[in-house]
């Protein structure tokens, strides 16, 4: 009943013309793709990329948004502005937001609820630091981030949420979690969601893995029972590396 969902997080890369070139290549090379796809360019390229993705099988995603609808929030971008650009989904709680920009679970939860209230899909990222994994706390950290991130989210909205498990030590490092280790955390997240929302909601939940996903490891990860897709960083910056992940297998 679950479908695979492969998303590219372009982070703070690419001018508008570079972003347009990549978006055009993805549209042409993924038009026969069988899974769900998303591209999340920087805010500055959303309009350009949105025009290229419109009407295709690739969703337009943003990498973050403010926790308020509008107002005196210098430097922030609101959900209304994202919707105005045709954004369909937003990545929230990315580890770079949590750790470099000190976003906490309460703030991320406000963003999740606001995005859902405005009809956006959400990719909610969770994941442990290396020292947390080494201390045997990976499951507990991911559980707490999941529970707090979903606080106040109604069961009817859960279908618009994807969880992305991104162990912080695997992001941009070339170190991938083994498929077994990733699957164990995904299974735990699914148990947690089952406890909160019931077995049917847990069974339907899409859980992506992120952290050094490459063309040569995507199929092994995706073969695991609880891994339903990928949130890809570095390898999403080129069609040559993203397309084979998006068409894994
Ligand atoms: P990398 O694929 O570069 O490790 O990045 C993963 C990520 O943070 C996607 O959001």
């Amino acid at each position: 009943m679950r479908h695979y969902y492969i998303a590219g997080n372009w982070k703070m890369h690419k001018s508008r013309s570079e972003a347009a070139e990549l978006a055009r290549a993805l549209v042409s090379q993924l038009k026969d793709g069988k899974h769900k796809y998303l591209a999340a360019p920087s805010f500055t390229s959303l309009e350009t990329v949105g025009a290229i993705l419109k009407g295709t099988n690739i969703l337009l995603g943003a990498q973050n948004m403010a926790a308020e609808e509008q107002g005196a929030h210098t430097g922030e971008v609101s959900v209304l502005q994202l919707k105005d650009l045709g954004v369909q989904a937003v990545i929230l709680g990315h580890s770079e937001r949590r750790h470099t920009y000190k976003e906490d679970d309460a703030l991320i939860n406000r963003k999740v609820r606001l995005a859902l209230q405005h009809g956006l899909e959400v990719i909610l990222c969770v994941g442990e630091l290396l020292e947390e994994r080494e201390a045997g706390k990976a499951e507990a950290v991911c559980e707490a981030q999941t529970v707090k991130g979903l606080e106040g989210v109604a069961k009817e909205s859960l279908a618009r949420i994807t969880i992305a498990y991104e162990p912080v030590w695997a992001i941009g490092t070339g170190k991938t979690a083994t498929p077994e280790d990733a699957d164990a955390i995904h299974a735990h997240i699914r148990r947690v969601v089952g406890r909160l929302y019931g077995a049917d909601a847990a069974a339907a939940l899409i859980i992506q893995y992120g952290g050094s996903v490459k063309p040569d490891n995507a199929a092994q990860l995706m073969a695991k029972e609880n891994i339903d897709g990928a949130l890809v960083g570095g390898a999403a910056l080129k069609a040559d590396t993203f397309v084979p992940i998006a068409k894994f297998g």
Side-chain angles (χ1 to χ4, degrees), residues 9 11 94 96 166 170-172 211-213 231-234:
N9 173 7
K11 304 194 180 183
H94 191 276
E96 288 144 22
E166 298 205 310
I171 297 177
S212 298
V213 177
L231 181 55
V232 186

Side-chain angles (χ1 to χ4, degrees), residues 37-41 45-47 49-51 53 58-62 85-90:
Y37 303 119
L38 171 136
S45 295
L46 280 171
E47 185 166 16
V49 170
L53 299 186
I58 307 173
L59 296 176
L60 180 66
L85 290 170
V87 167
Q88 295 150 295
V90 60

